[in-house]
Amino acid sequence: MSKLPLIFIDGDQGTTGLQINERLRGRTDLRLLSLPSAERKDPRRRAEAINSADIALLCLPDAAAREAVSLIDNPKVRVIDASSAHRTDPQWTYGFPEMASGQSERIAAALRVTNPGCYPTGAIALLRPLVQAGLVPADYPLAIHAVSGYSGGGRAQVEQYEGPDAANAAPFVTYGLALQHKHPPEMQLHADLSQRPIFVPSYGAFRQGIVLTIALHARLLPAHAGQEQLRAALQRHYAGARHIKVLAAGQGAAAERLDPTMHNNSNDMTLGVFGNDGEGHILLCAVFDNLGKGASGAAVQNLDLMLRAL
C-alpha cells in the first residue's frame, strides 16, 4: 500500500478500546482514526469512519457490534470484533492465533475476525490441545472456575472500584449462578467439546488479571493420561509460541500459588498442570491479563497479523 493503513476503533472510550489505543499509540506503521466525542454515537459519522478504514476494531456491546457490521458497504473493510456477537459464527474467523496450526494464517487473510472472550481464551488454551490429543474426552463433565480482575466488567464495574464509593465495593463476587453465562457455547465450540461445560466466574478487588482452573479426575481420563502426559501435550502444542508458556514439571509445584496479576499489561499467558497423583486429582491452570491476552492485547496481536495482508 502507498499509504499507511487506516485503523478505526469504534468504541475507543470503553475499557478495551482505551487499552488498544494505548498499545497502538506512537506506532509509525499505521494511522488511527478517531471521532470527536459529539460524533461517536452518530450513525452517519460512524458509518463513514468504518467504511473509510482498512481495518475497523469494534469495542462495543454485542447489539452495537452487530449494528456496526451492518453499516459496512465497503467490501474492502476488514473487521476485528472484540464483542461476543460473532464468536460462534462460522462465517467469522476465531481470533486465537495459537489455537491451531494455521490459525495465524487464517486470521491474517480474514475479512472478519472475532476476538475470543477473556475467560474462553484460558479454557480453550488448556482444553483444545488435550481433547485433540485424546487425553481428555470430548464429553468429560467439565467444571471451569475463573477469577478475574474487576475491569472485566467494563466501565461501570471499574467505577465501582475506583470511583467515590470504592470503599463499599465487594472484595470478591461469584456470579453467573444460574449457569447461563454467554461464554460456555464459545468454550464448547472452540475446545472441541461435545457438551456444554459448567462455568463459574468470579471477580475480585484487583483491577486486572485472571486465574482459570479446571479440575480433572484421572479415573475419568484414558489410562495413559496423567499429569506428565497432559503437560507434554500442552508443551508440544505451544512449542515456539511467543506469548504462551507451559510450566515444566516441578516448576509449577515449586510455586505453590498463582498470582492473577503476574502477566498484567502484557499479551502473555502461563499454563500449568498440577495435581495429586495419590488421589488421582489433576488441576489445569491458566494465568493471563483479562485486558491483555484476554482482550486488547489479543486484538492488537490479530491486527498485526491482518496488517501483513494489506
Side-chain angles (χ1 to χ4, degrees):
M1 293 185 63
S2 58
K3 292 183 179 180
L4 293 177
L6 183 63
I7 312 302
F8 174 55
I9 304 173
D10 195 359
D12 61 1
Q13 294 305 300
T15 305
T16 299
L18 286 169
Q19 286 255 335
I20 292 174
N21 254 322
E22 181 68 24
R23 289 167 183 265
L24 297 180
R25 185 181 301 165
R27 284 184 51 163
T28 59
D29 61 331
L30 50 79
R31 296 172 293 150
L32 285 176
L33 172 60
S34 181
L35 292 178
S37 57
E39 299 179 359
R40 288 180 186 136
K41 294 186 178 181
D42 182 333
R44 181 183 62 83
R45 287 293 293 122
R46 286 177 61 223
E48 290 174 356
I50 291 173
N51 283 288
S52 68
D54 292 296
I55 300 176
L57 288 92
L58 310 181
C59 303
L60 303 164
D62 288 5
R66 293 188 184 97
E67 178 193 32
V69 173
S70 74
L71 297 175
I72 298 174
D73 54 31
N74 179 353
K76 295 183 179 180
V77 175
R78 305 172 74 196
V79 177
I80 300 172
D81 182 11
S83 82
S84 61
H86 300 102
R87 290 177 185 159
T88 59
D89 187 332
Q91 297 183 1
W92 286 66
T93 299
Y94 196 62
F96 187 176
E98 300 90 351
M99 181 179 77
S101 176
Q103 194 69 10
S104 291
E105 290 75 15
R106 285 186 280 273
I107 293 167
L111 272 178
R112 301 287 182 265
V113 173
T114 177
N115 232 40
C118 57
Y119 292 126
T121 296
I124 294 162
L126 289 166
L127 291 169
R128 183 184 175 101
L130 302 180
V131 172
Q132 293 196 331
L135 296 172
V136 173
D139 62 352
Y140 190 100
L142 291 164
I144 299 168
H145 296 255
V147 182
S148 171
Y150 57 77
S151 60
R155 293 179 65 180
Q157 200 155 283
V158 169
E159 178 67 17
Q160 289 181 23
Y161 283 85
E162 299 181 4
D165 295 325
N168 298 319
F172 186 88
V173 175
T174 297
Y175 63 104
L177 300 182
L179 302 182
Q180 295 176 345
H181 198 281
K182 64 182 179 181
H183 285 325
E186 178 185 355
M187 295 173 176
Q188 178 180 348
L189 176 65
H190 297 294
D192 278 350
L193 304 174
S194 63
Q195 61 183 16
R196 179 184 175 118
I198 293 173
F199 175 53
V200 184
S202 304
Y203 61 85
F206 56 97
R207 194 175 204 278
Q208 59 200 81
I210 286 178
V211 170
L212 180 143
T213 58
I214 306 170
L216 302 173
H217 291 276
R219 61 183 173 81
L220 300 180
L221 302 178
H224 63 291
Q227 287 188 61
E228 182 180 346
Q229 289 74 27
L230 299 180
R231 185 181 300 109
L234 292 174
Q235 289 171 335
R236 285 192 300 272
H237 185 86
Y238 296 108
R242 176 183 174 188
H243 294 293
I244 300 181
K245 172 186 177 183
V246 181
L247 293 172
Q251 188 177 358
E256 293 186 351
R257 52 185 285 175
L258 294 173
D259 178 357
T261 68
M262 65 185 288
H263 289 312
N264 278 9
N265 303 311
S266 81
N267 200 42
D268 296 335
M269 175 189 292
T270 292
L271 306 179
V273 179
F274 302 79
N276 182 330
D277 287 333
E279 297 292 341
H281 294 166
I282 299 172
L283 190 66
L284 308 177
C285 304
V287 186
F288 55 106
D289 183 358
N290 62 291
L291 296 182
K293 188 61 171 169
S296 306
V300 173
Q301 185 179 0
N302 289 326
L303 173 66
D304 286 337
L305 289 171
M306 296 170 74
L307 287 173
R308 297 177 185 175
L310 292 178

